[in-house]
Amino acid sequence: MSTAPHTVTAEAIDARLRQVFQPTELLVIDESHRHEGHAGANGTGFGTHFKVHIASPLFASSSRVAAHRLVYDALRDFFDAGLHALAIELK
């Protein structure tokens, strides 16, 4: 995996998830603006709170918990770079 991005963006998360999971469906939404003043907010309204809708054949043999762990593991360096919260919807 690549090094941590300088800025956590929906585009960078999308690219990583496409690279790792070859999803059949993927939508990444930056919801940081909805969490201003909450824990983990960085004051910019961007790059801290995301929602991901993802479907991948790689999740077929995984439990929901295991699939969530795979997504979190794929984005570990994004968390190190400021991603605070990630809501995952598996399809």
Side-chain angles (χ1 to χ4, degrees):
M1 290 190 195
S2 65
T3 60
H6 289 90
T7 304
V8 179
T9 64
E11 294 80 11
I13 291 171
D14 182 284
R16 172 65 58 80
L17 294 175
R18 287 185 190 283
Q19 173 190 15
V20 174
F21 298 110
Q22 298 89 44
T24 55
E25 293 181 46
L26 179 60
L27 177 63
V28 180
I29 304 164
D30 187 342
E31 295 187 329
S32 302
H33 65 282
R34 300 177 72 199
H35 298 274
E36 282 303 307
H38 297 174
N42 62 12
T44 68
F46 300 98
T48 58
H49 294 73
F50 288 84
K51 182 181 288 185
V52 170
H53 301 267
I54 186 169
S56 172
L58 298 176
F59 300 143
S61 62
S62 299
S63 70
R64 180 173 291 286
V65 171
H68 277 236
R69 284 187 187 136
L70 290 171
V71 172
Y72 279 108
D73 288 346
L75 299 177
R76 177 112 11 247
D77 57 335
F78 288 86
F79 282 97
D80 294 342
L83 173 58
H84 175 75
L86 182 67
I88 303 168
E89 181 180 317
L90 300 172
K91 296 185 172 196

